[in-house]
Amino acid sequence: METSDKKPTETPAAESRFTVSPITLLADLWMGRLIRFGGLGVVLAVFGMLAFLVLQVFPLFVGARVEALPALTVPASAVAFGEDEYGELPYVVLADGTIHFQRGSDGAKVQEWSPALVGRTVTAVRSYPRAGLVFLGLSDGAVLEAKVSYRATFDAGGKRALQPIVTPLEPVQVGSPGLPCLGVWNAKGAQSRLLVVRQESAGRPKLSAVRITERKGLGGKARVTASAPFAVAPELSDLEQVLLPSTADSLLVVTGTGEVRAYSDDGVGMPLLQVFRPFADAADARISAAGLVFGHVSVVLVGQTGVHQVWSIYPQAQPDGRSLRRWGKIHDPEKLPGPAVGIFAAEGNKCYLVGAGGELQLRNMTTDTLRWQGPAPAGRVAQVAFAGNYDRFTALTVDGKLHRWKLEDHHPDSSWGAFFGKIWYEGATEPAYTWQSSSGSDEFEAKYSLVPLFYGTVKGTFYALLFALPIALTAAVYVSQFLRPEYRQIVKPVMEVMASLPSVVLGFLAGLWLAPLVDPHLVSLFCALGVLTPAALGAGFLWSALPQPWRRQVRPGMEFVWLLPFIALCCWLAWQAGPSIEAAFFTVKDTASGAPLADFREWWRQTTGMSYDSRNCLVVGFVMGFAVIPIIFTIAEDALSNVPQSLISGSLALGASRWQTVWSVVIPTAISGIVSAVMIGFGRAIGETMIVVMATGNTAVMEFNPFSGMRTLSANIAVELPEAAAGHTHFRALFLGACCLFLLTFVINTLAEVLRQRLRERYKVV
Amino acid sequence: MTATMNPNPSRIQVRPATERDGRRDYISIRDYGFWYGQKQALEGISLDIPERQVVAFIGPSGCGKSTLLRNLNRMNDLVDGIRHVGDITIKGRSIYDPGLEVISLRRRVGMVFQKSNPFPKSIYENVVFALRVMGVRDRSILDEACETSLRKAALWDEVKDRLQDSALGLSGGQMQRLCIARAIANRPEILLMDEPCSALDPIATGKIEELIHELKEQFTIVIVTHSMQQAARVSDRTAFFYLGKQIEYDTTEKIFMNPSQAQTEAYISGRFG
Ligand SMILES: Nc1ncnc2c1ncn2[C@@H]1O[C@H](COP(=O)(O)OP(=O)(O)OP(=O)(O)O)[C@@H](O)[C@H]1O
Ligand SMILES: [Mg+2]
């Protein structure tokens, strides 16, 4: 009111012209908040994604968690044990062959079974808890087999109770009659079962075996035939330990002098295959403990000082050139604190428990990792059994205790080494990076090396960019700097449409149309591609050699009208020349008929020794190049067009040619944009999935050969994630791949961004 | 010897035209007409520019000064749909001669733009750019050319310790002098300057005018300017254009003291334009 008094000309209406309407302010405030929220949301989403990936991957790298449960007291004469699936009703086998069932929860005795033996006694006992089989070696060299099974019964209250059933079979004479069995082993192979007993005569060990074949008769009744007993390793003078692989086709004997003698089934007997002394170099070459790990082609051996080796049987080149399966050392795990008291393999994976120096170690054979370590029970361990689902293990000690542990180890096969290192898998001839996640067999060991996938990713990206970068960048330079604006306005939108082509379509074209098309005309294609650049350069040279008046006829920026046909003609000629070049340089002898054969593919296979797949890297690179060219082109073209005209005029006015202007002024000025373009293209290529899935054989090979396929991290996820069980090692390994892909792009993009910022700083335009 | 800055813009100081030896028709423009597409930008231009003199083009905005200047080194070639009649000769040879490479023409006729346009490179690289594109590789030649051109452009003392720094860190006036140094590094014969001082403060303008005086000893200079004082101070001859036509061309003294055309008189005294 005061002001209006002083300045009567200023009406309130005039004053209100300068006030801002509350709606404008409110809109400003809310839009500001919304934008901030959106920005934060994006950052959070990215970090959330990363956190999710890390969370999925983290369990792969935690070791085993083991928790000791209360021990059960069993009769002191127990020498072996077994249990049901959940450990509710374990049993121990006493030295006299009595099977003694005790409740797992309170140790109360439930039932007892004794073998009916007339005039014979039990002299050896072996229990196979997973199969529920108990073998009793008798004093006359015969073996009595008893099968332990359980039946669940429910009482009136619906409470579940387990009812053990012991079914003894007829004794089988395996050893020499009259000599007591000192040890008994059983293995069930694919064709037959092998029963082995150890006896002793005149102070020398004596091994005998019987092969038992079971044939299902027509009536459903099994017809069992036992072969005549035959002697194994008759030459043996001493014997420490017998290892009978579950494949039942071989037998390992550890002697007191530190020798391992391998015998192999030849259908008749078991002749000696190989003898090796793993600790021959040590002062005391004796072996303190030996044990087969699951899969039964690898044996863990511990020497007297705790030195530790893993031997496996795999094809080895022999001096005569043949390749035969022989035992060889594949791992040197770290030294144990002392001689081992026993090696006990887990079921279903390559872990084993080893007791040494008063402690127990749970180790993984393949990855050479220590998964858990804890105190060993007081008494000497006689036998250890792992539960079938690897969540428990039980040990019987000679002082009459059944020690039990709860085990939590969801990913026993995983370790940094397994994912990123070279691993010598059993059966392989050398350490390698292998990805092989599934197979038909149960005993198959999944191999999760991400290195070949990394390799495939890099390889695919490399070939894609090798193809795309020159084309996209030169096209961007040409279109932005040389082409007439009218045509530029056509080319740009067309390229942008190309960028939106779904990669499934490109992959489909690549795999089903391009690959078969390119295959027979490979040399022609190479000729045409090879001629492309010289033809373009030659055309440019010819053009500049033309006299001025002729050149005047063509408006600047329209030179392509005659350059294009020239280049096309050159390429066509080169394509036509392909077959004769193939005949001249790439002729090889046909392996079948011996006739000369002009075929590049065959030539490649024979001269380089590398493979040739028709769905190869070149096809992928070519088509993936097509997917990334439009993106690189569009962004690079924008960057190049945004170079101020004043700089171009400045350069031209100094007497630079158009090309010199482009090379020394336009490109350096636009370089940060070009780097961005390349990075975005790179990001697209590295994460490209469908083209790779559809246009390659998806084999995880590790060779840079342009004519072989590949498997990329992203394609691997696309192909395998649907069939991976959630939470399983395989599933998490795929997520680890995703994590790596994420990190790879993150690192490369960060580096590129740093580079870009520096270039921008250097070439910024005022 | 600093340039005399006149505090009173209404009084114009005129520098007497000095006659130096050299061809009087060093650059000769004959009945020149020029079209941007359908639009005629120049019509009936005929003038001779003597060797080693400074000629100023003046006239109201849009009258075609820049167009004529840019045609002298054919910088308009890249514009679409251009057409010309008449001829421009330099030392008797037409710049439209089919046998003449436009690049060699531009090496002979250097140009400084209204807005300074240093390349985003080091000061050194900016100066030797023209030599580099000519294919000079010898470091000692480049170093020497860099120093002499920077000295001629009166910039050497200010930048001699930071030759490898980015040219974009210079002040506006320094940048413009750098552009002049860049333009004279390959020793052209003619220097075209399109309003070289329009974005500069009086001190920088003074330096550049002083520079023009010195460069005149070696180069023939054509300068476009909107400042009457500047035209009067630096040029030997002045051409006045209006609507694409050449109204008057004479010694600067004559144009400013005693113009023969009423339009010239009106423009100079600020009555239109
Ligand atoms: N590239 C072009 N395309 C079409 N017309 C143009 C182009 N450049 C200039 N012109 C036109 O030609 C005429 C002369 O322009 P020019 O730039 O030569 O004027 P000028 O005298 O330099 O003006 P100023 O003093 O404002 O710089 C103007 O009418 C302008 O619109
Ligand atoms: Mg102008």
Side-chain angles (χ1 to χ4, degrees), chain A residues 42-56:
Chain A
V42 169
V43 173
L44 281 181
V46 170
F47 275 94
M49 234 144 71
L50 186 63
F52 172 73
L53 287 179
V54 169
L55 223 65
Q56 288 295 326

Side-chain angles (χ1 to χ4, degrees), chain A residues 372-383:
Chain A
W372 169 77
Q373 197 169 12
R380 198 175 65 77
V381 178
Q383 189 190 348

Side-chain angles (χ1 to χ4, degrees), chain A residues 484 486 548-549 551-552 646-647 649-657 660 664-665 668-669 762-766, chain B residues 74-75 78 80 96 98 100-101 103 106-107 109 111 113 117-121 129-130 133 168 182-183 186:
Chain A
R484 292 184 67 77
E486 304 97 273
Q548 268 277 12
R551 283 196 271 163
R552 285 265 168 86
S646 68
L647 291 186
S649 317
S651 167
L652 290 176
L654 287 170
S657 66
Q660 284 173 325
S664 43
V665 175
T669 309
R762 202 156 142 216
Y763 294 111
K764 71 168 175 231
V765 182
V766 273
Chain B
R74 290 182 49 188
M75 281 301 285
L78 283 184
D80 246 356
Y96 294 107
L100 178 70
E101 275 291 347
I103 294 173
R106 289 185 190 143
R107 288 181 181 166
V109 187
M111 185 160 192
F113 294 82
N117 52 355
F119 302 130
K121 296 170 185 281
F129 184 87
V133 299
L168 303 176
R182 187 173 75 178
N186 65 340

Side-chain angles (χ1 to χ4, degrees), chain A residues 348 413 418-419 425 433-450 452-453 698-701 711-713 715-725 728-735 737:
Chain A
D413 301 327
F419 295 122
Y425 286 102
Y433 301 107
T434 323
W435 173 278
Q436 191 186 357
S437 60
S438 56
S439 141
S441 147
D442 269 354
E443 296 195 349
F444 161 78
E445 185 180 8
K447 304 168 183 75
Y448 298 118
S449 175
L450 294 175
L453 308 179
N698 281 308
T699 38
V701 294
R711 173 179 282 225
T712 66
L713 284 165
N716 188 51
I717 294 169
V719 170
E720 296 197 355
L721 199 57
E723 65 199 33
H728 188 258
T729 309
H730 180 201
F731 180 82
R732 294 194 196 281
L734 291 174
F735 272 94

Side-chain angles (χ1 to χ4, degrees), chain B residues 36 39 41 59-68 79 114 195 226:
Chain B
Y36 287 113
K39 183 180 176 343
S61 187
C63 69
K65 308 178 296 290
S66 298
T67 301
L68 182 57
V79 182
Q114 170 173 3
E195 301 181 43
H226 278 288

